[in-house]
Amino acid sequence: MKKCGLLVLIMGTLYATSGQVLGLDLGLPPVDISGSVGVRFREVLPESGNKTFQQSITGDVAARSYIWQPWFGNWNGRLSASRDIKESSNETENVVLSGAGEVNLFHLSRFPFSAYVDIKDSRVDDSDPLDPGKEERFMRYGIRQSYRPLAGGMSVNFNLFHDEREDLQAADTEHSNRAIVSGFIHRGKHKLNASFLANDRTRSQFMDEQLDWQADVTHVYTQSSQFSLTTSAGANGSESNNDVDNVKTTQGRVGSIFHWRSVTMPLSLRGDFLMKSLKSEAEVDEERTEDEVRGSISVIYLPTDHWRLRIGAGGKSRTGSVREKSYFETISANYNSKLIPLGEFFYSYGTGLDLANETNSRTDDEQIYRANISHNLNRNWMSDWNGPLGSSLTIGQDISYEQSDIQEIIGTLVHRLTYSINATNDMRTTNLGITLYDSRNTGRNDLVSQNLNLNAIHNHRISRYSGFGLTYNINYTRQSGRTLFIDDEDDLFTDRVETEIENGKYTSLEIFYHNNRLLKVRNLRFKSRLRTSTDSLLLDHLNSTPSSEILWENRIDYTIGKLDVDFRTTWIERPAFEEGGMKTILLNIRRLF
């Protein structure tokens, strides 16, 4: 019945939209019709488990036209039908329907409207090469509405859509309803932006339901280049229900930032104010509430191009589950020198001094003194090596010292080195970058950190139609010691914690080749890509690191008129696992009309 109904629908569409071909003049708008028929063969060969052979016969029809008059609206649609046969431990057969459609009304006006639907199925669509056996069905439908007045300076956009995602292998479905409303109004010195979004999501496998929403309003007042005031207000919330717990969280916030700059003096003023409230309720945990109010103001004076003086003060108050009040006053002075020529190098330095006083209701008053100095030595080269060759070297050092009458003294010494080279000519482009970083802390933060990053990119054009390239990246981070204090001020529920530091290593290499006229045959295209990555500094350690991976993709495309042939092979190998590899062969033949 499904096949017959699909055939009747396609034939009815062709009959209704091709009146001139049949010699009938129905007074309907002309319809552009296109489509294709094809066959696809895919074989998946895992190192463990049963191999899978899949055959799909697919036909699709696409059409587009206007409604009544070209200015009134238009529509477009696509309908695909596939017969999918999959042979593994047993044989399964499915008829897969997919497609898309969209109707646009008043699309040339100031209030365009559109309604759309899109249905995709990974069994017949191009799948992820890392997961070729994935079987997932996705459907989205929704509406869009916009409005822009003739005078301008205003815009409103409304989006409402529904998503359904089904994992056919895990028997897991996810439904989501989303609404997004945004807009702005610009009148003279005032600009108002507003947005609202909501997402209601349910998932069957974990009996999970979650509702998220967020609303924001921002007003910007710009009197002139000397004064601006930005005020924002917002709220967001989340409510989730699952088998483990029911949690409800809401947060509201109001803030303001202003900038003022003197016309006659190198003097500027900046201030900010923020008030937010957070509340969390859970069945297995106690209710937590917290209100926070903070504000600060600072004056910046620039007597010369190299000096910067700053005075600031502020405070913070937290009530609810955590009670705290704190105030601070700061004075800072910074100096940055001009570039000083030293032979073929240029030298620059900078220094700074900060004095701070902090008063906290949870601890004793604290006076903090900070001093820092930094200097850099750099040089640029330009030469000719079969084309322009440029390189640069920068060596720097930062020294900082912080003393507190409550906590231990902390000193930091940082060494920096950066080298880059860039070579370009008509046939190739080469970029190489090396960065070395060494940081050593003494005192309350006993932490030593080194980082090495090397990134090399080379692209080479062999001929007008072919070329190859490679990308090589090494990143190594070595850290030892312990950092004592981590304070996330944006999360009101996060206290200061003690954290251990671990080392990290990552290396990747990618090589690709393309030829758009293989064997000198027009429209015969070939692409190949080899990528390997590992959590090791050397690629010869692929067998010993669990996250090592090798991916090799090859693709041949050949177009003869309206006949398109696509042949692909994919090889995935995870050397650290005995049965972690997979090979995929895909042949896709389509006839367009």
Side-chain angles (χ1 to χ4, degrees), residues 114-145:
S114 64
Y116 58 92
V117 61
D118 188 9
I119 303 175
K120 297 179 181 179
D121 198 302
S122 64
R123 291 173 293 182
V124 294
D125 295 331
D126 291 339
S127 60
D128 187 350
L130 297 178
D131 192 7
K134 186 177 182 180
E135 296 184 2
E136 184 179 80
R137 189 170 177 83
F138 174 78
M139 179 177 66
R140 169 177 289 182
Y141 57 86
I143 59 174
R144 290 187 292 259
Q145 177 72 67

Side-chain angles (χ1 to χ4, degrees), residues 103-351:
V103 176
N104 299 287
L105 299 179
F106 312 110
H107 54 290
L108 301 177
S109 69
R110 303 187 306 274
F111 43 88
F113 170 84
S114 64
Y116 58 92
V117 61
D118 188 9
I119 303 175
K120 297 179 181 179
D121 198 302
S122 64
R123 291 173 293 182
V124 294
D125 295 331
D126 291 339
S127 60
D128 187 350
L130 297 178
D131 192 7
K134 186 177 182 180
E135 296 184 2
E136 184 179 80
R137 189 170 177 83
F138 174 78
M139 179 177 66
R140 169 177 289 182
Y141 57 86
I143 59 174
R144 290 187 292 259
Q145 177 72 67
S146 301
Y147 173 69
R148 300 181 300 271
L150 183 61
M154 179 180 176
S155 177
V156 179
N157 301 284
F158 174 77
N159 290 269
L160 179 64
F161 55 93
H162 173 81
D163 289 345
E164 292 185 11
R165 189 183 303 273
E166 181 180 5
D167 189 335
L168 301 175
Q169 294 176 323
D172 184 23
T173 59
E174 181 177 344
H175 297 259
S176 176
N177 296 308
R178 304 184 188 183
I180 303 175
V181 182
S182 62
F184 76 90
I185 300 176
H186 191 185
R187 294 290 185 269
K189 301 178 181 180
H190 300 268
K191 187 173 183 179
L192 182 67
N193 294 273
S195 64
F196 173 81
L197 61 91
N199 182 14
D200 185 9
R201 181 183 63 86
T202 59
R203 189 173 179 182
S204 63
Q205 191 173 59
F206 302 99
M207 299 298 293
D208 184 18
E209 299 180 3
Q210 183 166 335
L211 172 63
D212 299 312
W213 61 272
Q214 180 175 337
D216 293 285
V217 178
T218 302
H219 174 261
V220 179
Y221 172 70
T222 306
Q223 183 186 31
S224 61
S225 60
Q226 284 75 39
F227 180 79
S228 66
L229 175 65
T230 303
T231 304
S232 61
N236 63 278
S238 176
E239 183 175 357
S240 62
N241 301 316
N242 51 49
D243 297 335
V244 179
D245 194 9
N246 298 328
V247 181
K248 182 178 180 181
T249 303
T250 57
Q251 177 176 318
R253 57 198 175 275
V254 177
S256 181
I257 301 175
F258 75 89
H259 295 268
W260 174 82
R261 182 171 61 88
S262 174
V263 179
T264 59
M265 298 177 59
L267 185 70
S268 62
L269 182 67
R270 172 191 168 93
D272 63 87
F273 170 80
L274 175 65
M275 180 175 63
K276 56 183 178 181
S277 176
L278 182 62
K279 182 178 180 181
S280 177
E281 301 176 0
E283 291 185 356
V284 299
D285 197 3
E286 63 180 1
E287 178 181 324
R288 300 195 65 179
T289 60
E290 187 163 334
D291 299 323
E292 179 176 340
V293 179
R294 66 171 66 184
S296 65
I297 188 171
S298 61
V299 180
I300 301 174
Y301 180 59
L302 306 175
T304 66
D305 294 337
H306 305 287
W307 279 99
R308 183 179 184 270
L309 306 178
R310 180 180 179 273
I311 301 176
K316 178 177 66 175
S317 175
R318 301 168 69 181
T319 59
S321 301
V322 178
R323 296 182 177 273
E324 178 186 8
K325 290 184 179 180
S326 61
Y327 310 93
F328 69 89
E329 302 87 26
T330 62
I331 300 176
S332 64
N334 298 92
Y335 176 80
N336 293 312
S337 72
K338 63 180 181 179
L339 293 177
I340 303 172
L342 296 177
E344 296 182 349
F345 289 82
F346 286 92
Y347 177 77
S348 63
Y349 66 91
T351 183

Side-chain angles (χ1 to χ4, degrees), residues 58-128:
T58 304
D60 66 84
V61 177
R64 62 179 182 177
S65 182
Y66 59 84
I67 303 173
W68 186 40
Q69 296 292 335
W71 58 266
F72 181 77
N74 58 58
W75 63 269
N76 64 82
R78 177 183 59 83
L79 178 63
S80 300
S82 301
R83 182 173 177 265
D84 181 64
I85 302 175
K86 186 176 181 181
E87 299 178 3
S88 185
S89 57
N90 56 359
E91 181 176 320
T92 59
E93 180 178 347
N94 297 287
V95 175
V96 181
L97 296 177
S98 62
E102 184 173 3
V103 176
N104 299 287
L105 299 179
F106 312 110
H107 54 290
L108 301 177
S109 69
R110 303 187 306 274
F111 43 88
F113 170 84
S114 64
Y116 58 92
V117 61
D118 188 9
I119 303 175
K120 297 179 181 179
D121 198 302
S122 64
R123 291 173 293 182
V124 294
D125 295 331
D126 291 339
S127 60
D128 187 350

